[in-house]
């Protein structure tokens, strides 16, 4: 689930590829839990899918309760997501997790092999900044690095791709900001690799070479498939943060 669209697909977990087309429906406004659950039910009908479902939200998910709502309707806070989806969609297996965490799981399984080694930090640069910590390939969930205050500013307000668009920054100007937050993450967590995802990773050649931090930075390989594939992996393996 994202701010503009809710997207779903059946996933072949052997290959990490979609089976059939990705289905996309505009996010209902206001994007309340009930309205979003009804939209997900519609996607499942279109996909003709009755099996387990993985769902990602741009929220902290702890014990299957949404605890934050940074760029979505505030009514998500304290929502029991298992109860919500069971009520609106019906009894089946649901795994609900943070969107960046799901992308991290998918990159470990199907992306750059270095994501499995040491401490890799995946960042999704979009409306906000999402993060996934991958320690030897295992996810440490809900890290929320986009909300770290760097030099007096919240990282995602300063260096998300939405900030680039809003402030009409060039790739060079924006890369300076991204470098600044990466350096702060390096200073605190000493990762072995950064993986950068989100729509803007498609243009990685325009800005990744301009970064001035020390740790290698690689673009995410699954592109816009990562969230959906990671959600499916969580559903299949029963990961329920
Ligand atoms: C949210 C995170 C989310 C990220 C990307 C942030 O504002 O706090 O939970 O992963 O945006 O959507």
């Amino acid at each position: 689930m994202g701010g503009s669209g809710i997207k779903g697909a059946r996933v072949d977990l052997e290959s990490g590829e979609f089976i059939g087309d990705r289905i996309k429906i505009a996010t209902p406004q206001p994007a309340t839990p009930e309205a979003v659950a009804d939209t997900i039910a519609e996607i499942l009908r279109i996909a003709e899918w009755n099996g387990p479902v993985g769902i990602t939200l741009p929220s902290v998910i702890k014990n299957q309760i949404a605890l934050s709502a940074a760029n979505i309707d505030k009514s998500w806070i304290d929502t029991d997501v298992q109860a919500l989806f069971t009520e609106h969609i019906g009894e089946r297996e649901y795994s609900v997790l943070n969107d960046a965490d799901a992308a991290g799981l998918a990159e470990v399984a199907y992306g750059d092999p270095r994501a499995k080694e040491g401490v890799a930090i995946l960042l999704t640069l979009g409306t906000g900044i999402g993060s996934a910590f991958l320690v030897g390939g295992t996810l440490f969930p809900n890290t929320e690095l986009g909300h770290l205050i760097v030099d007096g500013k919240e990282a995602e307000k300063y260096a998300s791709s939405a900030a680039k668009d809003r402030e009409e920054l060039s790739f060079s100007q924006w890369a300076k900001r991204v470098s600044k937050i990466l350096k702060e993450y390096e200073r605190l967590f000493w990762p072995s690799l950064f993986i950068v995802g989100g729509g803007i990773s498609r243009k990685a050649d325009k800005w990744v070479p301009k970064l001035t931090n020390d740790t290698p930075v690689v673009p995410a390989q699954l592109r816009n498939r990562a969230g959906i594939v990671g959600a499916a992996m969580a559903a299949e393996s029963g990961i329920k943060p």
Side-chain angles (χ1 to χ4, degrees):
M1 180 231 171
S4 59
I6 300 181
K7 297 153 225 162
R10 294 189 189 206
V11 178
D12 174 353
L13 289 170
E14 291 280 314
S15 61
E17 301 288 340
F18 291 165
I19 302 171
D21 289 335
R22 190 184 71 154
I23 300 156
K24 178 175 177 182
I25 299 183
T27 305
Q29 297 302 335
T32 58
E34 293 72 23
V36 168
D38 289 341
T39 307
I40 293 173
E42 178 61 18
I43 290 175
L44 294 172
R45 267 192 295 277
I46 297 169
E48 299 179 350
W49 180 248
N50 297 312
V53 185
I55 299 169
T56 73
L57 297 173
S59 314
V60 169
I61 308 288
K62 205 169 160 195
N63 301 324
Q64 295 291 284
I65 313 266
L67 293 180
S68 69
N71 294 302
I72 56 171
D73 198 83
K74 297 295 170 224
S75 57
W76 279 93
I77 294 175
D78 292 334
T79 296
D80 176 335
V81 288
Q82 288 286 330
L84 171 80
F85 294 124
T86 304
E87 186 188 327
H88 284 257
I89 304 172
E91 288 282 347
R92 58 170 103 189
E93 267 304 307
Y94 297 103
S95 280
V96 185
L97 71 166
N98 173 265
D99 51 5
D101 282 346
L105 289 178
E107 289 293 332
V108 165
Y110 308 102
D112 195 310
R114 283 176 292 173
K116 291 192 182 73
E117 295 159 13
V119 177
I121 299 181
L122 172 131
L123 298 169
T124 60
L125 301 158
T127 310
I129 293 181
S131 57
F133 268 40
L134 303 155
V135 186
T138 301
L139 175 69
F140 176 124
N142 292 316
T143 47
E144 295 290 321
L145 289 197
H147 301 293
L148 194 79
I149 305 295
V150 180
D151 208 6
K153 296 176 208 82
E154 192 175 10
E156 76 172 19
K157 301 256 155 57
Y158 177 67
S160 60
S161 72
K164 177 182 182 301
D165 294 344
R166 198 170 50 235
E167 298 181 44
E168 298 179 5
L169 303 174
S170 66
F171 278 106
S172 300
Q173 289 169 319
W174 182 65
K176 278 194 192 135
R177 293 191 180 193
V178 177
S179 298
K180 195 171 205 169
I181 66 158
L182 294 184
K183 283 179 187 167
E184 183 69 3
Y185 298 159
E186 280 173 342
R187 202 173 68 81
L188 296 172
F189 307 111
W190 299 89
S192 33
L193 183 72
F194 285 114
I195 306 166
V196 287
I200 201 148
S201 66
R202 274 195 291 269
K203 296 185 185 144
D205 56 324
K206 295 215 160 72
W207 57 277
V208 170
K210 296 185 193 313
L211 297 172
T212 56
N213 65 295
D214 292 330
T215 312
V217 180
V218 295
Q221 290 189 3
L222 279 86
R223 307 280 155 100
N224 59 2
R225 275 200 340 264
I228 292 176
V229 171
M233 286 172 64
E236 153 83 8
S237 51
I239 295 177
K240 294 181 187 179

